[in-house]
Amino acid sequence: MTASPDTSDHPVIGLDEVVHQRVRLGILAIGHEARRVEFGYLRDQLDLTAGNLSKHLSVLEAAGLIDIEKGYEGKRGRTWVTLTPAGDAALAAEISRLKVLIARVEEKT
Amino acid sequence: MTASPDTSDHPVIGLDEVVHQRVRLGILAIGHEARRVEFGYLRDQLDLTAGNLSKHLSVLEAAGLIDIEKGYEGKRGRTWVTLTPAGDAALAAEISRLKVLIARVEEKT
């Protein structure tokens, strides 16, 4: 028997791939926690190569969700990442959609 | 000031891209709800083209997370999708990791 599931718009439809993608979601979540987070820390926390992290940071920067700041700590070059207000809002929207999805899945478990 | 965020393994590291990807997560969630769901219903619910849906179904089938069954309803060919036990387990693991991520983000909001 094929049950007729819930027919309202499915929560995944509203998910933004720029935000939902696993690594980018991690960058936004860590950026939300730390407010200003250093490239090396992100790379280690998310277990990425520098190249892979840079690729995802470019996608988020192009979407206006993060600001990237280059500078020095002593003689060493550093890169810091900060969420923009749009980044905070995008993360909040992702979280609220995921909560709708989770509630729906758990309702039928 | 750069806060030093939580240093335990970040929840996104454990997310499985096969499951976490937006469309595939929707397929697994709907399959979990309906137990046995018809191709056309999935296509409409997730607002996809048949080709795009087929591509994602192949990824999930190859990973052993769904079974695909072809048959007829009257004279019309039909395709049904059912989650395998591994599919149910993968969805449950995704949901529990997302809940850890959400709790962590909301803790700092």
Side-chain angles (χ1 to χ4, degrees):
Chain A
M1 188 220 61
T2 308
S4 61
D6 190 329
T7 52
S8 53
D9 233 12
H10 200 278
V12 296
I13 290 190
L15 290 176
D16 176 347
E17 306 244 8
V18 169
V19 175
H20 181 72
Q21 194 277 341
R22 187 183 69 84
V23 170
R24 293 195 290 269
L25 183 54
I27 293 167
L28 292 171
I30 293 174
H32 171 77
E33 280 174 43
R35 297 317 316 158
R36 181 172 178 263
V37 62
E38 199 265 328
F39 184 95
Y41 179 82
L42 272 174
R43 184 200 55 221
D44 298 341
Q45 271 292 296
L46 296 173
D47 198 18
L48 299 169
T49 64
N52 195 5
L53 176 56
S54 297
K55 185 187 80 175
H56 288 294
L57 288 177
S58 308
V59 172
L60 291 171
E61 188 182 34
L65 302 185
I66 60 168
D67 285 324
I68 296 179
E69 184 199 333
K70 305 244 179 202
Y72 286 87
E73 235 170 26
K75 288 192 178 128
R76 304 193 64 167
R78 282 282 183 266
T79 300
W80 288 277
V81 175
T82 312
L83 265 58
T84 62
D88 269 312
L91 179 62
E94 164 86 3
I95 295 294
S96 68
R97 282 199 183 88
L98 289 178
K99 287 168 82 171
V100 171
L101 174 73
I102 289 168
R104 205 164 138 163
V105 169
E106 292 190 327
E107 205 186 283
K108 309 278 166 96
T109 304
Chain B
M1 188 214 63
T2 307
S4 61
D6 188 329
T7 52
S8 55
D9 234 10
H10 201 279
V12 296
I13 289 188
L15 289 177
D16 176 348
E17 307 244 9
V18 170
V19 175
H20 181 73
Q21 194 277 341
R22 187 184 70 84
V23 170
R24 293 194 289 269
L25 182 56
I27 293 166
L28 292 171
I30 293 174
H32 171 77
E33 279 174 45
R35 296 318 317 157
R36 182 171 177 264
V37 63
E38 200 264 326
F39 184 94
Y41 179 82
L42 271 175
R43 183 200 57 222
D44 298 344
Q45 271 292 297
L46 296 174
D47 199 19
L48 299 169
T49 63
N52 195 5
L53 176 55
S54 298
K55 184 187 79 175
H56 288 295
L57 289 177
S58 308
V59 172
L60 290 171
E61 188 182 33
L65 302 185
I66 60 168
D67 285 325
I68 295 179
E69 183 200 334
K70 302 234 181 215
Y72 286 86
E73 236 169 27
K75 287 191 177 129
R76 303 194 65 168
R78 282 282 183 265
T79 301
W80 288 277
V81 174
T82 311
L83 264 61
T84 62
D88 269 313
L91 180 61
E94 164 86 3
I95 295 294
S96 68
R97 282 202 184 87
L98 289 178
K99 286 169 82 171
V100 171
L101 174 74
I102 289 168
R104 204 163 137 165
V105 169
E106 293 189 328
E107 204 185 284
K108 308 278 167 98
T109 305

